[in-house]
Amino acid sequence: MAIFGKKKTEITLPEKLPEHIAFIMDGNGRWAKKRAMPRKFGHREGAKTFKKIMRYCKDIGIKNVSFYAFSTENWKRPKEEVEAIIELFREYILDVWNYIGEDVRVLFLGDKTFFDEDLQNKMNELEEETKNRREMTMLLAINYGGRDDIVHASKVLAEKVKNGELRSEDITEDLFQSYLYTLDVPDVDLMIRPSGEQRISNFLIWQSAYAEFYFTDILWPDFSTDDLNDAIIEFASRSRRFGGV
Ligand code: IPE
Ligand code: IPE
Ligand code: MG
């Protein structure tokens, strides 16, 4: 696919694009600090990058895109920062129709019950209204932890075994996976983490068992569509063997 980068030069993206890209949107705080601004300004700027990258992924035809917005561990942060992030999340949820377009399914990853009831209702409504859309899925991870995802699925399955709806010997990897927050979305192919950190920080740990990782020092608010092109081009050059030869 031929597209134009920021410098207006033509770039050819590889034929085979990743089916699922996951972004760890990190570096907002450092971005603000560099400008002597409070951390919440970094989050605001990072949210703009989210919108821009989401639109671009849709334009180039990426089928599934996950964004890590808030982890189960991020509750440790100062109350003011947590509240600012949740407020931003609320704004972006209310505005969602303006940037996802008509064919995008929205899935929230994580335990919603930590949020105010009106926000939970909005999230449930969005999932319900978009559930039959198949052009693209946008997965927003908020109050998400990979370990919590696995524990949550285990509890649901344990209840089913207890009620006699399921036999423990029928639990396979595929069945288990379908009970994760990601439902039928395929595994992560490409996991992108900006900000210079080289770790997964409890994001989609099951789903990225065979993901290719791409790390860059760029801070998330500065992450551009050109940077994403670089990651996709690098991804295409990797040899994925999935344990084979
Ligand atoms: C990522 O940016 C956003 C969240 C974790 C909510 P950070 O806030 O972690 O930014 P740094 O890592 O402190 O720069
Ligand atoms: C990961 O970033 C979580 C999100 C981007 C939402 P963190 O900033 O919380 O990760 P650590 O603490 O550096 O591992
Ligand atoms: Mg961070």
Side-chain angles (χ1 to χ4, degrees):
M1 178 185 190
I3 43 138
F4 285 91
K6 204 164 47 195
K7 296 179 198 99
K8 302 277 180 265
T9 45
E10 197 177 81
I11 300 160
T12 305
L13 284 180
E15 275 299 297
K16 196 162 167 30
L17 294 169
E19 281 224 19
H20 184 173
I21 302 183
F23 293 94
I24 300 181
M25 304 191 285
D26 195 22
N28 295 347
R30 278 163 282 174
W31 186 91
K33 194 171 177 208
K34 267 170 69 181
R35 289 158 181 80
M37 307 256 257
R39 296 177 58 86
K40 62 181 177 192
F41 282 90
H43 295 310
R44 186 155 284 282
E45 211 52 37
K48 288 186 200 159
T49 303
F50 150 72
K51 214 188 257 192
K52 175 181 76 189
I53 294 296
M54 168 57 206
R55 283 206 186 107
Y56 184 69
C57 285
K58 187 168 176 247
D59 288 347
I60 63 174
I62 308 293
K63 293 277 176 210
N64 304 281
V65 188
S66 295
F67 295 93
Y68 203 9
F70 192 82
S71 75
T72 46
E73 288 74 32
N74 288 147
W75 295 103
K76 290 180 202 153
R77 295 187 179 202
K79 192 163 171 267
E80 196 203 328
E81 180 173 350
V82 170
E83 281 172 0
I85 294 169
I86 295 173
E87 197 38 51
L88 258 178
F89 178 63
R90 182 186 293 276
E91 260 179 52
Y92 275 70
I93 292 300
L94 292 176
D95 187 43
V96 84
W97 302 115
N98 288 323
Y99 60 90
I100 65 164
E102 288 189 357
D103 312 308
V104 178
R105 167 169 67 148
V106 182
L107 268 188
F108 293 100
L109 312 180
D111 183 357
K112 298 186 186 88
T113 61
F114 278 70
F115 301 107
D116 290 346
E117 214 176 295
D118 67 320
L119 194 53
Q120 282 185 49
N121 290 343
K122 190 74 211 163
M123 290 159 90
N124 289 331
E125 262 169 49
L126 261 175
E127 286 185 328
E128 186 56 32
E129 279 176 51
T130 61
K131 72 175 183 207
N132 295 321
R133 299 175 170 193
R134 285 295 176 272
E135 173 90 15
M136 178 184 185
T137 302
M138 174 179 85
L139 304 95
L140 270 180
I142 180 118
N143 187 28
Y144 177 85
R147 289 180 174 176
D148 180 61
D149 198 355
I150 293 166
V151 169
H152 173 259
S154 306
K155 282 184 179 159
V156 177
L157 287 167
E159 273 304 307
K160 286 191 181 282
V161 173
K162 196 169 89 185
N163 299 339
E165 284 173 62
L166 182 73
R167 296 182 313 164
S168 59
E169 54 269 40
D170 293 334
I171 300 176
T172 59
E173 288 187 11
D174 283 346
L175 181 88
F176 192 92
Q177 176 145 351
S178 70
Y179 282 87
L180 295 172
Y181 287 120
T182 40
L183 305 178
D184 57 343
V185 171
D187 280 351
V188 176
D189 293 309
L190 173 61
M191 169 83 75
I192 298 179
R193 181 164 194 159
S195 93
E197 311 300 351
Q198 302 195 357
R199 54 178 171 258
I200 195 163
S201 299
N202 203 13
F203 194 33
L204 299 174
I205 53 179
W206 169 295
Q207 297 88 339
S208 61
Y210 270 101
E212 295 297 324
F213 285 79
Y214 183 87
F215 299 110
T216 161
D217 289 341
I218 295 158
L219 302 173
W220 176 253
D222 292 328
F223 191 85
S224 68
T225 54
D226 283 345
D227 297 323
L228 178 52
N229 293 336
D230 290 346
I232 290 172
I233 291 164
E234 153 93 30
F235 168 82
S237 74
R238 304 260 181 104
S239 162
R240 302 182 81 194
R241 289 185 289 280
F242 299 96
V245 285

